[in-house]
Amino acid sequence: MELTLKRASEKDAGLIWRMQIESFAQMYERYRDDQTSPAKEPIDKVIARLRQPYTYYYLIETGGETAGAIRVVDFREEGNPKRISPLFILPGFRNHGLAQAAIRAVERIHGQDNWALDTIAQEEGNCRLYEKMGYRQTGKTEAINDSMTLVFYEKK
């Protein structure tokens, strides 16, 4: 599938928020993570991120439709890693390579190295995606609840 990234603005907050809820709903049901799940965030949190000078939200578009979004935190400071948080693809657009293409696209925009992210260790598909894209586990983990642990990645 062909992919285009479109830089989001504050006017896109509602769209991002709705897509985020839909995209993370299954994971929320699986892990019941009220603490960190994007499916449980209020829209105010999305708006606050969009207002941050170091946040770059991109809408992921394919075939004239919005398929998801990716947020990059980039302080543009030497030694400070860029961060992907979150990346999500709507259920109807999954398994077409859009997440890989979105990662490649933001790396072209923000630079190929010095990246960080975290994902759910129990979500093997997510872990495979990031490892396929050159990210390596740091060894750091954080238990969120009895069934969910975050695993941290970096790409040097």
Side-chain angles (χ1 to χ4, degrees):
M1 282 189 151
E2 198 66 28
L3 171 129
T4 304
L5 290 186
K6 178 183 155 204
R7 178 83 188 268
S9 68
E10 198 172 327
K11 71 176 179 52
D12 298 308
L15 172 62
I16 292 169
W17 181 66
R18 288 187 302 276
M19 288 191 307
Q20 180 174 288
I21 290 170
E22 182 178 347
S23 297
F24 287 99
Q26 283 183 326
M27 277 192 224
Y28 175 75
E29 290 301 319
R30 191 173 303 131
Y31 301 109
R32 292 292 178 183
D33 167 30
D34 292 312
Q35 181 183 343
T36 66
S37 175
K40 289 308 208 179
E41 286 183 352
I43 192 170
D44 296 350
K45 202 160 188 180
V46 173
I47 293 168
R49 286 186 189 125
L50 281 160
R51 290 177 176 165
Q52 294 170 331
Y54 48 82
T55 282
Y56 301 83
Y57 260 109
Y58 299 96
L59 299 176
I60 299 167
E61 298 180 341
T62 186
E65 295 183 83
T66 304
I70 185 169
R71 174 179 171 241
V72 174
V73 177
D74 186 354
F75 289 97
R76 299 194 181 264
E77 296 172 349
E78 186 71 31
N80 203 343
K82 298 167 287 269
R83 182 167 180 73
I84 296 173
S85 178
L87 161 61
F88 53 89
I89 305 295
L90 289 166
F93 291 94
R94 292 181 184 157
N95 301 313
H96 297 287
L98 291 175
Q100 290 178 53
I103 291 169
R104 282 189 204 99
V106 296
E107 288 178 349
R108 279 193 299 275
I109 295 166
H110 293 273
Q112 298 290 321
D113 56 3
N114 199 24
W115 286 89
L117 58 85
D118 59 76
T119 194
I120 300 169
Q122 291 79 5
E123 292 294 318
E124 294 175 9
N126 288 359
C127 294
R128 271 195 310 275
L129 164 69
Y130 295 125
E131 289 168 11
K132 183 177 183 177
M133 300 304 298
Y135 289 77
R136 299 292 167 244
Q137 291 188 24
T138 65
K140 178 183 174 188
T141 61
E142 181 182 338
I144 300 299
N145 60 35
D146 290 342
S147 61
M148 183 181 138
T149 301
L150 294 179
V151 61
F152 292 78
Y153 282 87
E154 65 184 10
K155 184 175 184 178
K156 295 292 183 182

